[in-house]
Amino acid sequence: MKLILDLHLHSKASFDGRMGIEEIAALAKARGLDGVAICDHDVVYTGPTEVDGVLILPGVEFSTEYGHLLALFLSREISYTTWEETTEAVHAQGGVTVLAHPFQKSRPASALLPLVPHLDGVEVWNSRANRKNPQANAQAAAFACQTGLVPTAGSDAHLPQEVGGGTLTLETDARSLAAIRSAILAGQGTPAGREGPSLCVARSQYTKLKKTHASLPRYLKWAAFAARCAWEDGRRRTE
């Protein structure tokens, strides 16, 4: 059976997220998705694994010294310590480790090669990744081919309009988390997606400012960032 999944979304449990799980499920269902992975910043999702007919994959996005690490199919909470200890703990739970948007900031692929033994996959499509580096997703896809890591894809949605912006289409034996996990690890997915508006990044940063009770100078800095994001969106529309 064919399943369409968005493997990287943020709920309001993230410091820059706004959406509840029910809202995410409703948006996913309306956009033809069969499942989503909740990957909040440093917070493991422990809620229901199906909402309104949409499968919910439990995950987390860890901030590490090497960039962002997605951990999918976790069965219990875990905190990030070191790269090696954390990836071992994820695998001990039967989880899947994925390097998220590895080239969002430009860097040589060689710098990431030491991480490969601890990884199962790499995110080859992220709807936000190309904003800073227009070749970010293409470089991630090339890195997956170079290393043999399985490809994944996600929207990195923080806002409703972003849900479904990055997807992995899988052929699975069953409509279950176990079957999805097996299909992902077998490299049976087809990634696809569209670039999200830069203003969505600015809006999620605004959410972060509100949640952290930021100072006025930080809001002023954000205003300049939002103006740049609006300019980027306008430029893309005219290209």
Side-chain angles (χ1 to χ4, degrees):
M1 87 177 37
K2 183 175 78 171
L3 297 178
I4 303 174
L5 312 168
D6 184 336
L7 293 178
H8 186 171
L9 297 95
H10 293 266
S11 77
K12 59 185 178 183
S14 285
F15 54 74
D16 51 359
R18 298 186 184 185
M19 300 180 288
I21 300 302
E22 293 77 12
E23 180 181 11
I24 290 172
L27 289 164
K29 186 174 183 178
R31 293 171 190 173
L33 302 181
D34 298 288
V36 299
I38 304 299
C39 301
D40 286 311
H41 294 293
D42 302 307
V43 179
V44 176
Y45 175 78
T46 57
T49 55
E50 185 166 349
V51 175
D52 194 23
V54 175
L55 294 170
I56 309 293
L57 284 60
V60 62
E61 182 175 27
F62 289 121
S63 298
T64 86
E65 65 269 36
Y66 303 111
H68 285 186
L69 171 71
L70 301 181
L72 305 176
F73 304 100
L74 296 182
S75 57
R76 57 187 180 276
E77 294 185 10
I78 185 175
S79 297
Y80 183 78
T81 53
T82 67
W83 179 271
E84 186 169 351
E85 287 179 354
T86 303
T87 53
E88 286 179 357
V90 171
H91 288 140
Q93 292 190 36
V96 173
T97 54
V98 176
L99 194 60
H101 47 71
F103 299 100
Q104 181 170 280
K105 296 181 180 179
S106 295
R107 55 180 168 177
S110 58
L112 300 176
L113 291 177
L115 309 181
V116 172
H118 306 280
L119 292 167
D120 300 303
V122 59
E123 191 176 55
V124 303
W125 180 266
N126 177 296
S127 295
R128 290 186 167 204
N130 284 359
R131 193 188 71 80
K132 292 182 180 179
N133 172 16
Q135 298 302 313
N137 287 320
Q139 289 173 333
F143 187 72
C145 289
Q146 175 189 357
T147 59
L149 294 172
V150 297
T152 73
S155 62
D156 203 353
H158 292 65
L159 300 169
Q161 57 264 54
E162 296 179 287
V163 174
T167 60
L168 191 72
T169 300
L170 290 171
E171 289 291 337
T172 67
D173 296 331
R175 189 181 177 280
S176 68
L177 299 192
I180 291 170
R181 178 184 178 278
S182 295
I184 290 174
L185 290 175
Q188 296 173 356
T190 302
R194 64 181 186 277
E195 291 188 14
S198 293
L199 268 175
C200 285
V201 180
R203 289 179 62 195
S204 58
Q205 289 300 308
Y206 183 77
T207 301
K208 179 180 177 180
L209 294 178
K210 290 179 67 177
K211 286 187 174 183
T212 58
H213 308 289
S215 62
L216 179 59
R218 290 181 62 196
Y219 276 99
L220 294 176
K221 184 178 180 180
W222 172 85
F225 174 66
R228 177 172 179 79
C229 288
W231 175 81
E232 289 173 356
D233 288 342
R235 183 188 62 183
R236 276 203 296 267
R237 285 193 293 269
T238 59
E239 288 179 347

